[in-house]
Amino acid sequence: MLLALGLLGSTARGAEPARPPDALDLLGNTGCEERTTRPAEALGLLGDPGCEETTRPADAPLKEDAVAKDTPTTRHLWRALAEVTAVNLVVWTYDRVVGKEWARVDVHTWKDNLRTGFVWDGDGFPENQIAHPYHGSFYFTAARDNGFSFVGALPFTLLGSLQWELFAENLPPSFNDLINTTLGGAAMGEALYRLSSLVLDPEATGGRRFVRELGAGVLSPVRGFNRVLRGDVSRREPKPPSWTPGTLASWGTLGYLKLGDGESLAWGEDQFFAEFSLRYGDAFQGEHHRPFDAFEARIQFTTQESNLVSHARLQGLLVAKPLVRTERDELRLGVLQQMSYVDTLAYEMGGQALNVGLLYRHQLTDRSTLKTMLLADGVPLAAISSEHSSGASRRYDYGVGGGFQVQAVYARDTWDVVTLEAGVSHTLVLDGSNGSHQVRTGQLQVDLPVYRRLGLGGEANFYQRHSRFNAFPDVRKDTYQLRVFISVH
């Protein structure tokens, strides 16, 4: 994974703005005439397509490349189904060999699972909220890499999860696993699939080709395995332009944080953290034809926590409809998918959500922009800390809910200098403490450019929860965090 992130990390935030639609060769221009270099192309991530006839790579999914509509990839239904099943067989075999008790299944456990039906499980937060979505990404990629679109791959992800829940464990099938694996697997699978496309360079040879194929395989293992089987790892062919976004920005931060759990920050816990962030495409401008043409992802590693990963978020644009477009302003209606994860000693919170709302971008100067989002959230599955959860290994409740979030960003080129975020959500508990939770969050971050790609910044954020329980007194919990960091863009 570090190898793959290193290949992506070379694309700093200094990339040029996205080109207008007519410059993206959407009408089939292969570059034989005068052509403009795209930002990622200039960074060496996209080979020169040259003036030869365009041939799509064997693993290019259906409609992956708008340039090559005349040569669509065939959907391989039975191959996709076989690979989904093979993923489960391989993982189950490993679990069985290493002695996992729940992997001891037979016809009787299958009958029991079918008879019992679905329940809510009591597994830990990282397993339910990170491991299951990652497992689901393998099912999603099995379909995506066999010619199916984002939407077309969703049923395969659901099928893979059903297979696992009903036949790969001797425990009752789980509602929360089914939802997290399907929805989170689609989001994570699509993001990793696109990043693997970005890393791949089917025109490269020798050591450079090997390193890029290896990096892409680490990001998307099912795709990497298929490329070996098909012989794509050694086949030279042009790289589809849509494998590279119009804009790409990545940056990392390293610093110190003070976490105050219901007490003054002066008495809070001292920790160190490292965070990696990535912006693929631009949700605020440009053409968007397919889900996740634009997405943002971040992951944070923190010391002194029970798990290495303390924060993660993935948010991808599904569809966008321009409402107003002028020379300096653009307002659009967008639908986004979001997967979030917070796992600290102070609180746990995460889940799967759909966001609907307005995205506005104003060009202040040639290099500076103001971007704002106002979103309404629908949350089919939320996990949130609770003092009275019923699960043996769970300190959190499961529920459904909704809320609102707002974001305002002042950016210099692709460098987010000032970021302000706030949100409120209400969750009705389905399994756990029998009650409801209202959560308010806020964050102010300043990241000032200091020297070339180096920055210096700070952040203050808060988390407030008001829980109302049917059989217990209400609980109010406030958590504050202060961070200082250096950034590399």
Side-chain angles (χ1 to χ4, degrees):
M1 180 63 76
L2 292 176
L3 169 66
L5 292 177
L7 291 169
L8 294 171
S10 62
T11 59
R13 282 190 180 185
E16 302 170 11
R19 299 189 299 152
D22 58 322
L24 288 175
D25 297 330
L26 294 177
L27 299 179
N29 183 359
T30 60
C32 299
E33 303 171 1
E34 181 181 358
R35 58 191 289 269
T36 304
T37 301
R38 296 194 294 170
E41 192 173 81
L43 290 164
L45 290 173
L46 178 62
D48 185 355
C51 300
E52 301 176 0
E53 182 180 357
T54 300
T55 303
R56 307 181 73 213
D59 62 348
L62 187 65
K63 297 182 180 177
E64 174 75 20
D65 183 9
V67 176
K69 292 181 179 179
D70 56 331
T71 57
T73 300
T74 303
R75 294 188 182 98
H76 300 286
L77 173 63
W78 297 111
R79 188 184 301 171
L81 290 172
E83 289 188 5
V84 167
T85 305
V87 166
N88 281 332
L89 286 173
V90 170
V91 176
W92 173 83
T93 300
Y94 171 81
D95 292 333
R96 185 68 176 85
V97 169
V98 299
K100 300 292 186 181
E101 187 62 31
W102 45 258
R104 296 180 179 274
V105 297
D106 54 32
V107 175
H108 299 292
T109 62
W110 296 347
K111 289 180 179 179
D112 289 342
N113 285 346
L114 291 169
R115 186 185 308 113
T116 302
F118 282 79
V119 300
W120 299 92
D121 73 30
D123 294 337
F125 195 78
E127 180 180 351
N128 278 341
Q129 304 303 122
I130 286 289
H132 279 287
Y134 183 66
H135 192 168
S137 71
F138 283 53
Y139 307 142
F140 182 88
T141 305
R144 195 77 168 85
D145 200 46
N146 279 291
F148 289 87
S149 65
F150 178 89
V151 175
L154 287 174
F156 293 89
T157 314
L158 175 62
L159 174 63
S161 182
L162 284 170
Q163 284 183 349
W164 182 269
E165 293 298 318
L166 293 171
F167 305 116
E169 297 181 351
N170 56 26
L171 303 172
S174 166
F175 283 120
N176 48 277
D177 288 350
L178 188 69
I179 298 171
N180 278 324
T181 302
T182 303
L183 297 182
M188 193 178 292
E190 181 67 16
L192 293 174
Y193 192 87
R194 285 176 174 268
L195 293 180
S196 70
S197 294
L198 180 65
V199 169
L200 286 170
D201 184 0
E203 293 183 291
T205 58
R208 183 170 180 266
R209 178 66 176 268
F210 173 79
V211 170
R212 287 186 171 268
E213 292 286 346
L214 179 61
V218 171
L219 285 167
S220 187
V222 173
R223 185 186 197 182
F225 179 76
N226 284 341
R227 287 183 64 82
V228 172
L229 289 183
R230 291 189 298 251
D232 295 341
V233 293
S234 58
R235 184 181 297 113
R236 293 195 65 193
E237 50 203 347
K239 180 171 182 173
S242 62
W243 281 15
T244 306
T247 59
L248 181 71
S250 63
W251 62 100
T253 59
L254 180 67
Y256 159 85
L257 69 83
K258 172 83 78 171
L259 179 64
D261 183 11
E263 58 188 6
S264 170
L265 280 174
W267 302 100
E269 185 175 2
D270 298 312
Q271 301 186 46
F272 296 95
F273 74 93
E275 182 177 285
F276 179 80
S277 302
L278 177 75
R279 182 183 299 121
Y280 178 105
D282 190 341
F284 291 86
Q285 66 172 348
E287 299 294 325
H288 299 89
H289 301 286
R290 300 148 303 173
F292 281 70
D293 272 351
F295 67 86
E296 293 194 17
R298 71 165 185 156
I299 184 169
Q300 178 178 302
F301 307 95
T302 310
T303 63
Q304 307 301 321
E305 296 289 352
S306 56
N307 296 289
L308 181 61
V309 177
S310 61
H311 295 72
R313 185 172 73 174
L314 172 62
Q315 186 178 50
L317 183 67
L318 299 179
V319 295
K321 172 67 175 179
L323 302 177
V324 177
R325 182 181 292 171
T326 66
E327 184 178 354
R328 287 190 173 271
D329 299 271
E330 182 165 349
L331 176 67
R332 55 177 54 186
L333 178 66
V335 179
L336 303 96
Q337 180 179 357
Q338 179 174 308
M339 172 184 165
S340 58
Y341 175 89
V342 180
D343 182 16
T344 68
L345 295 177
Y347 67 94
E348 298 168 323
M349 184 173 67
Q352 314 298 329
L354 288 177
N355 320 125
V356 180
L358 299 175
L359 291 77
Y360 173 69
R361 181 182 186 274
H362 174 65
Q363 192 76 34
L364 297 170
T365 66
D366 290 342
R367 297 186 59 189
S368 61
T369 57
L370 176 66
K371 299 179 289 185
T372 59
M373 286 196 303
L374 177 61
L375 302 175
D377 304 330
V379 186
L381 185 65
I384 184 170
S385 293
S386 173
E387 288 75 13
H388 306 292
S389 178
S390 59
S393 302
R394 272 175 42 189
R395 301 180 302 167
Y396 57 95
D397 292 335
Y398 270 123
V400 297
F404 297 92
Q405 58 177 297
V406 61
Q407 181 189 82
V409 177
Y410 169 73
R412 183 75 169 170
D413 295 325
T414 55
W415 189 312
D416 294 348
V417 179
V418 180
T419 302
L420 176 64
E421 296 181 358
V424 59
S425 65
H426 187 85
T427 302
L428 178 65
V429 176
L430 296 178
D431 181 71
S433 60
N434 294 323
S436 64
H437 304 282
Q438 186 178 76
V439 174
R440 296 182 180 91
T441 58
Q443 172 186 309
L444 174 62
Q445 177 179 287
V446 178
D447 183 7
L448 298 175
V450 175
Y451 178 72
R452 294 186 178 179
R453 295 186 177 184
L454 292 178
L456 182 65
E459 176 187 311
N461 61 60
F462 70 87
Y463 163 91
Q464 295 179 335
R465 171 170 59 88
H466 182 193
S467 300
R468 297 178 174 89
F469 303 111
N470 296 340
F472 304 96
D474 290 3
V475 173
R476 294 180 181 272
K477 184 178 180 65
D478 297 340
T479 301
Y480 301 92
Q481 186 180 116
L482 182 66
R483 308 197 312 170
V484 291
F485 56 84
I486 57 173
S487 59
V488 180
H489 300 257

